Amino acid sequence: DYDGDKAVAARLGYDPAQWLHLSASAMRTGNLAVEGDQLSELWFGNGFFRALGSPATTTKFHANLLEGDFRIKLPRGHLQAAGGYARFDDNDRTADNRRKLYYYYVEGVHRLSDKLFAASRFSQILTDRGYPIVGGGGFNERFLGVSTKDLWRLSLGLGYRWTEDLVLKLEYTFDRGELVGGRKRNKEDLLALEVGYRF
């Protein structure tokens, strides 16, 4: 940590019924040093928060976030969603780099049998002035290149739970978006086969 300002996070959860969970959370990264920290430890949009200003004119950056979540337990699965807001800024002497980012997701899981399940998730990040959001793109191209103003993802998957600790998943993800200037983001879809084991 190259700055004395500290990160702070808080989360409040409430279960008004056995089938419903509600929560709200807030976080501030604290000031981060461009020369030392370079990136936030906070993972956002498959990347990190970083200063937008040049290192010659920018020494610090930070982000503050608020989020609300809910989860509904269903007889054969669950439905959950979250929505949030992030406010970013740096101290660039030559430009106003403030950004407001809005994000949300909706996810559903349904057990087709005792071992087989289907899942889908839709998520989106929006910011009118653009920010380096990686998503499913190449890290160097999306994190260091032209900023993104709208990015959405639809994931569809099937899973098979061999045991309580072992699961096999097949997933296809559609990634679409728009860069600052209007150029579209495409050719970032993903087909994945995953094996997960809990120790």
Side-chain angles (χ1 to χ4, degrees):
D1 191 355
Y2 293 85
D3 191 283
D5 199 11
K6 299 302 180 188
V8 178
R11 186 176 184 92
L12 180 65
Y14 178 56
D15 294 341
Q18 285 189 336
W19 54 271
L20 178 62
H21 175 74
L22 305 172
S23 69
S25 57
M27 179 181 182
R28 66 184 298 269
T29 63
N31 284 325
L32 300 167
V34 171
E35 221 173 280
D37 297 303
Q38 298 181 358
L39 305 174
S40 71
E41 292 183 356
L42 176 64
W43 184 256
F44 185 82
N46 280 0
F48 306 90
F49 285 105
R50 68 166 177 85
L52 297 180
S54 162
T57 58
T58 311
T59 59
K60 298 180 188 298
F61 65 98
H62 69 272
N64 299 322
L65 300 93
L66 294 171
E67 183 175 301
D69 308 70
F70 77 83
R71 180 181 176 105
I72 298 173
K73 293 180 185 174
L74 301 170
R76 299 188 64 82
H78 71 260
L79 176 67
Q80 67 184 40
Y85 162 76
R87 188 178 68 206
F88 167 87
D89 202 2
D90 63 29
N91 68 346
D92 187 355
R93 299 189 308 270
T94 62
D96 178 4
N97 292 324
R98 283 179 293 183
R99 297 291 189 272
K100 294 178 181 179
L101 300 97
Y102 300 89
Y103 62 93
Y104 67 91
Y105 79 85
V106 180
E107 172 187 290
V109 175
H110 180 72
R111 288 193 313 276
L112 303 170
S113 70
D114 287 345
K115 294 190 177 285
L116 185 66
F117 63 90
S120 65
R121 173 187 278 222
F122 183 83
S123 58
Q124 188 171 24
I125 301 173
L126 298 156
T127 178
D128 60 346
R129 297 180 63 198
Y131 197 78
I133 304 168
V134 177
F139 190 87
N140 287 339
E141 178 186 6
R142 296 304 180 204
F143 196 61
L144 303 174
V146 177
S147 292
T148 298
K149 59 186 295 187
D150 178 8
L151 182 64
W152 63 262
R153 171 179 289 178
L154 174 63
S155 297
L156 304 172
L158 281 174
Y160 189 82
R161 189 172 297 282
W162 293 92
T163 68
E164 279 301 308
D165 297 321
L166 179 63
V167 64
L168 175 69
K169 295 192 291 185
L170 176 66
E171 179 179 357
Y172 192 86
T173 299
F174 303 86
D175 268 26
R176 300 288 184 274
E178 184 180 346
L179 302 173
V180 171
R183 193 159 50 95
K184 300 296 182 188
R185 287 182 60 162
N186 54 23
K187 298 182 181 177
E188 297 177 6
D189 293 359
L190 173 70
L191 176 63
L193 180 64
E194 306 168 52
V195 177
Y197 183 73
R198 181 174 60 187
F199 294 93

